[in-house]
Amino acid sequence: MMRRLGRASVALAMLALAMPASAYREGALVLQAGWFHLAPQESSEPLRTRLAPSVVGSLLGIDPDFTSEGTSTGVSNAHTPALTLSYYLTDHWVLKAEGGVPAEFDLYGDGVVRPTGLSGLLINVDLGAPENNPIASARQWSPAILLQRYFRDASARLRPYLGVGASYTWFTNVELKPAFSDALNRNFGRSLAVVTGNPGQTVVRGDSDSAWAPIVNAGLSYALTDRLSLSLSLSYLFLSTTSRITIEAANGTRLAESTTELDLGTAVSSLLLSWRWGGGD
């Protein structure tokens, strides 16, 4: 008896898997919620620093525009809740908008920033020092729109897909960590304020440029019921941006600006639960 029940259960399970799900056809509107995991594959140029001109700096042999060879920056992985909306233009072509809670990243540094001349032996900041890392944090907003091609028949339970699209990325809540900010003010800010005739406290700020970035996408969608499905995908965001750190005098005069070109290409994996309106048989 138990063997018969076991066989019957297996047969029913196989039958359920074999049965076609209600089709996601033209006109279907699909809301997806789940999780994004973002893994930046970053690389960066050495930091380039431009100093406010000063007579004292010239006498000390300090180049007002110098590059600190060996310096670089890196970005942590992140994860965040995701929300997407898809519209089936046809049984196979889908227009998708992606959003969600902006991910928060930590920025890490490596190498030593120092001016040219003998003053570089005394005035420098070690980006890689443990007490200075992470050097900053920021939230990344990357809403995107994609055009996807779904394969197999619209009634198939398992459907692979490919997509291409674009994202507009910008950064908010860019905050330099206190230890790193203090090191910059102590080692660079005070000296620059004096030699440029702007004595007093200095302020350090950080920001990154916004940018458009192309996206490629691949995944699998599996229909659990006639309206509910599960989607697993991997995307790659080809993002590049310019990040900068500035030191300002108390009166607002810009004393120094350090920039780096950051290749922030990011692999984004997602697991999404979908709910469909319309578009069925």
Side-chain angles (χ1 to χ4, degrees):
M1 180 67 177
M2 293 299 294
R3 289 182 179 178
R4 292 197 190 100
L5 288 175
R7 290 175 186 152
S9 299
V10 171
L12 288 173
M14 293 179 66
L15 181 61
L17 289 173
M19 289 175 60
S22 182
Y24 280 48
R25 297 190 182 280
E26 179 180 343
L29 186 65
V30 179
L31 178 67
Q32 296 179 309
W35 206 252
F36 285 152
H37 177 76
L38 300 93
Q41 316 295 305
E42 80 287 340
S43 63
S44 67
E45 297 293 328
L47 267 71
R48 179 183 179 185
T49 303
R50 299 174 181 85
L51 303 177
S54 70
V55 174
V56 175
S58 298
L59 293 175
L60 293 175
I62 300 175
D63 191 334
D65 189 339
F66 63 90
T67 298
S68 298
E69 297 297 338
T71 56
S72 63
T73 56
V75 181
S76 67
N77 291 350
H79 47 82
T80 188
L83 189 66
T84 77
L85 187 65
S86 299
Y87 180 73
Y88 280 66
L89 302 170
T90 70
D91 290 359
H92 296 279
W93 290 100
V94 176
L95 191 63
K96 183 178 185 180
E98 292 188 340
V101 178
E104 184 172 5
F105 293 91
D106 284 327
L107 183 69
Y108 292 84
D110 194 25
V112 179
V113 178
R114 55 164 50 97
T116 56
L118 294 176
S119 59
L121 300 175
L122 300 174
I123 304 173
N124 56 75
V125 174
D126 186 356
L127 297 181
E131 63 271 19
N132 290 338
N133 279 278
I135 62 177
S137 63
R139 285 197 176 275
Q140 178 180 319
W141 299 72
S142 297
I145 187 165
L146 298 99
L147 181 64
Q148 296 175 313
R149 165 71 179 182
Y150 276 70
F151 300 94
R152 305 188 68 193
D153 187 79
S155 62
R157 188 175 289 274
L158 182 67
R159 300 187 72 187
Y161 57 85
L162 296 174
V164 294
S167 170
Y168 184 71
T169 298
W170 70 94
F171 301 88
T172 61
N173 300 96
V174 180
E175 297 181 359
L176 297 177
K177 298 300 182 179
F180 177 62
S181 182
D182 290 345
L184 283 176
N185 281 318
R186 183 174 61 254
N187 293 302
F188 275 104
R190 292 176 185 173
S191 300
L192 291 171
V194 171
V195 299
T196 58
N198 297 282
Q201 296 293 324
T202 56
V203 179
V204 179
R205 307 183 192 278
D207 67 86
S208 293
D209 289 346
S210 56
W212 285 97
I215 302 173
V216 293
N217 167 249
L220 290 170
S221 177
Y222 181 77
L224 302 172
T225 70
D226 61 343
R227 293 191 179 276
L228 196 64
S229 64
L230 195 64
S231 179
L232 180 66
S233 74
L234 179 64
S235 303
Y236 194 85
L237 177 67
F238 295 88
L239 175 63
S240 295
T241 185
T242 299
S243 294
R244 65 181 54 81
I245 297 171
T246 58
I247 302 177
E248 297 177 356
N251 61 8
T253 300
R254 179 165 294 185
L255 303 176
E257 179 184 78
S258 295
T259 59
T260 180
E261 300 301 318
L262 185 60
D263 183 356
L264 201 57
T266 304
V268 183
S269 53
S270 69
L271 180 62
L272 302 169
L273 189 64
S274 310
W275 180 263
R276 172 182 64 82
W277 287 272
D281 290 336

